[in-house]
Amino acid sequence: MQIGMIGLGRMGGNIVRRLLRDGHKAVVFDRDPAAVQALAAEGATPAESLDDLVDKLEAPRTAWVMLPAGAITEETVTKLGALMKADDCIIDGGNSFYQDDVRRARELDAKGIHYVDVGTSGGVWGLERGYCMMIGGHKEAVDRLDPIFRTLAPGLGDIPRTLGRDNRDPRAELGYIHAGPSGAGHFVKMIHNGIEYGLMQAYAEGFDILKHANSTQVPEERRFDLNLGDIAEVWRRGSVVSSWLLDLTATALAGDETLDGFSGYVEDSGEGRWTINAAIEEAVPATVLSSALYRRFRSREDASYADKLLSAMRKGFGGHQEPPRRGPAP
């Protein structure tokens, strides 16, 4: 299939590369001409503007927006909506707020343009590992785009198959689902990221306790000088707490157990806040997820070893760099 990609950053560029590897065609645009030319050298068709990208797409057109949530995505979707025609499709694969998806889909539906929201997980490793995708939109549009999603998804891999899934949608086992109507994809991804906050916080606090097992606050006969890198490594193998996040933790600790390369300033990208707002709206208790979000706020005032480990995990899966630390709160 042919697809247009707007936004060639850490994930957008690798999504294009994965599609090209499987024989799909891509027209690409980014505000950075160097990013466009890099992918053109790998087989993509370069575009000089959104207008040029739309002109180079074959009807029915599909344009994937992979930009930061907020004004730039809103502006891009609005402009694409003015350029594209009935039966064309706009995909937002970033981390947009699901209520914005509902509104955009309604506005574009009036023009006969499909809008598909794709919650995309995989970070900087997606090129090789594949992308877990949670998709919202009309069934007609999602089904038409299935070859794209199937290429991007991880596939069965070596994960044991779940018993009792006979006669269920096979796409979930491949790493992507049609979650529901417009907005459902980003809603599911939003909760995914809220859970991610909690998992990361649990690992971070646990390793912080292990690190301080030799504290002078503990009676001398109960002090332990533990090798955190070895603990992370052994937990990866057969433990019930093994996960990709633990893999990233083990990698970070193997490189520098003191984590001196991190200040411990932990940013949040919005989905954690939206998850808590959804919990409040639904009157669902979310004590762990709320605590994890507030801990990130606290890290910006004074950081612990746990906060450094959170930063190391964020860099591991998403390439997130710490922003400059602000001074202590007044």
Side-chain angles (χ1 to χ4, degrees), residues 294-307:
Y294 295 145
R295 178 61 245 186
R296 293 195 178 197
F297 297 162
R298 183 75 178 101
S299 78
R300 298 163 204 174
E301 297 175 7
D302 83 45
S304 66
Y305 185 81
D307 298 322

Side-chain angles (χ1 to χ4, degrees), residues 95-104 115 117 182-188 190-191 274-275 277-278 281-282:
N95 281 325
S96 288
F97 186 38
Y98 77 98
Q99 292 181 21
D100 291 334
D101 295 315
V102 174
R103 170 181 51 79
R104 291 174 192 152
Y115 179 86
D117 54 290
S182 297
H186 277 147
F187 183 83
V188 175
M190 176 183 78
I191 304 305
W274 298 338
T275 298
N277 289 338
E281 184 177 52
E282 298 168 14

Side-chain angles (χ1 to χ4, degrees), residues 32-177:
D32 179 5
V36 174
Q37 291 308 312
L39 279 166
E42 298 179 42
T45 300
E48 296 180 356
S49 64
L50 287 181
D51 301 65
D52 188 32
L53 179 138
V54 172
D55 286 344
K56 289 177 176 176
L57 292 175
E58 303 164 1
R61 304 168 187 82
T62 300
W64 184 310
V65 180
M66 202 65 183
L67 296 169
I72 188 170
T73 292
E74 188 72 33
E75 173 189 327
T76 302
V77 171
T78 298
K79 186 163 186 180
L80 285 172
L83 293 171
M84 298 178 85
K85 307 296 183 184
D87 208 33
D88 289 346
C89 181
I90 299 172
I91 300 172
D92 179 4
N95 281 325
S96 288
F97 186 38
Y98 77 98
Q99 292 181 21
D100 291 334
D101 295 315
V102 174
R103 170 181 51 79
R104 291 174 192 152
R106 182 176 62 247
E107 293 168 352
L108 291 167
D109 192 54
K111 301 178 180 181
I113 300 172
H114 298 290
Y115 179 86
V116 173
D117 54 290
V118 180
T120 312
S121 182
V124 296
W125 300 90
L127 176 60
E128 301 302 332
R129 291 170 57 101
Y131 299 90
C132 173
M133 291 168 290
M134 298 135 270
I135 305 162
H138 291 309
K139 183 178 186 302
E140 172 192 347
V142 175
D143 287 351
R144 187 174 80 193
L145 294 167
D146 191 74
I148 295 291
F149 299 137
R150 189 169 291 259
T151 287
L152 293 176
L156 284 171
D158 58 1
I159 298 174
R161 302 187 76 169
T162 302
L163 296 177
R165 283 198 55 86
D166 297 340
N167 302 317
R168 288 174 172 260
D169 189 338
R171 293 176 293 185
E173 286 188 312
L174 300 177
Y176 67 110
I177 59 169

